[in-house]
Amino acid sequence: MRVSSRITAIAGAISMSLVGLAQATDLEVTHWWTSGGEAAAVKQFADAFNKGGDNWIDGAIAGSGGVARPVIISRILGGEPMGATQLNHGRQAEELVEAGLMLDLTELADKEGWRDFVRPSKLLDSCTVDGKIYCAPVNIHSWQWMWTSLDAFKKAGVDAPKDWYEFVKAAPKLREAGIIPLAIGGQAWQSGGMFGVMTVGIGGADLWKAVNVEKNMDVVRGPEFAKVWQAFSEARDLADPNNSIQNWNDATNQVITAKAGAQIMGDWAQGEFSVAGQTAGVEYDCLPGLGIAPVLDTAGDAFYFPKNDDPDVTAAQLRMASMMLSKEVQVAFNLKKGSLPVRADVDITAANGCMKKGLEILKNADNILPSGDQTFNSDTIGQLEDLSTEFWSDKSITPEEAQSRYAEIIESAQ
Ligand code: GAL
């Protein structure tokens, strides 16, 4: 090859790589996934985005959704938006969308056929305002799970429970063995979420809907809901009276290390068991619907993209949304996250025993409930969580008083 053509070839290669670099766009991504399992999952997104030639600038916010969401929302409202952010399925971004601050993804969604493959379709409904789609749903998490340490029950010399009622019966044996029956973190969303799971498990899905969807005040003030409050009061006595744990994953770790017998928590807890190298059915078990009835709710996460004047940023935001819903990334991310993929057309045979229980339940639409985040706005959710956590930490509050205060919140819920 003559020298001049070799120089031309090298110059061409350099310019190609520079063009490639020029397209590499940094996107700051905010989320509250900071536990071991969550970090392993978010790495799947980051690696895939970087592999596509862009740069994932991680903006993890430690604490919980309750800490992260106000930071995220005030940055967007305050004109310092991130490139992309996690929020939950539901109504958390409705004011931001209504203020015209969020990127409309409808053209991408239509081009890629999101409405055809996202299931259940109500996940996209939670992203849709006035017929336009403003978020990419990335998983289905369900609060409706109870996690048990098989090692703890073995140590206590009692059969591992197959449902909530057997757990309550076994609790004295756990205590005799020096094991905390029920693990829970002190943040309000945890006792609030647990109360919702007990409403479904003890009261039934129809009762949950009557309270949280129909807001039927006869039911909210009635005897069936009183039974749920009574059971929640019993659960309160099963926690460690000197509990200093705040974070959900530290409570999960008590189950992983058999210091506690069980935890009621969403299936994001899966990620912690797998990072700890534990196997469903060997060291731990998972009871959907508290083992009483098969049920899932469609909690979980979606990514939103604040509007940006820079067309390169907007292009990168669309590349990220597309990546998150791609078949390959949906499998890689959800297997680490312990959640279910939002698309049915993926091969999830690698799912563990608990995920397989969830996928089975997901097949019957009658088993699926909306999440609280999808029925009430953030303000109402906050009030309900505050009441649940106040009841949990103050044993002078009776179930009757709590039910009456809960009814007042539901009556004025938006
Ligand atoms: C939820 C979120 C899950 C999980 C959990 C605990 O709001 O949907 O992905 O991470 O918080 O942080």
Side-chain angles (χ1 to χ4, degrees), residues 251-326:
T252 309
N253 194 50
Q254 286 186 312
V255 178
I256 288 170
T257 55
K259 290 190 180 65
Q263 179 188 24
I264 291 178
M265 184 46 69
D267 49 12
W268 44 89
Q270 286 265 46
E272 305 310 298
F273 289 102
S274 58
V275 161
Q278 294 198 344
T279 306
V282 178
E283 294 93 354
Y284 74 99
D285 197 5
C286 46
L287 305 177
L290 301 183
I292 298 165
V295 66
L296 279 183
D297 64 41
T298 50
D301 308 292
F303 275 78
Y304 290 80
F305 303 86
K307 270 183 187 164
N308 191 296
D309 299 335
D310 179 343
D312 286 344
V313 169
T314 303
Q317 289 173 316
L318 295 172
R319 286 196 292 272
M320 181 177 283
S322 179
M323 173 275 289
M324 288 175 162
L325 282 176
S326 67

Side-chain angles (χ1 to χ4, degrees), residues 119 330-335 339-341 343-352 355-356 359:
R119 63 91 178 86
Q330 269 291 300
V331 173
F333 166 75
N334 281 290
L335 282 179
S339 37
L340 304 178
R343 47 190 309 171
D345 57 350
V346 292
D347 172 13
I348 197 103
T349 43
N352 73 9
M355 284 185 78
K356 286 198 169 93
L359 286 165

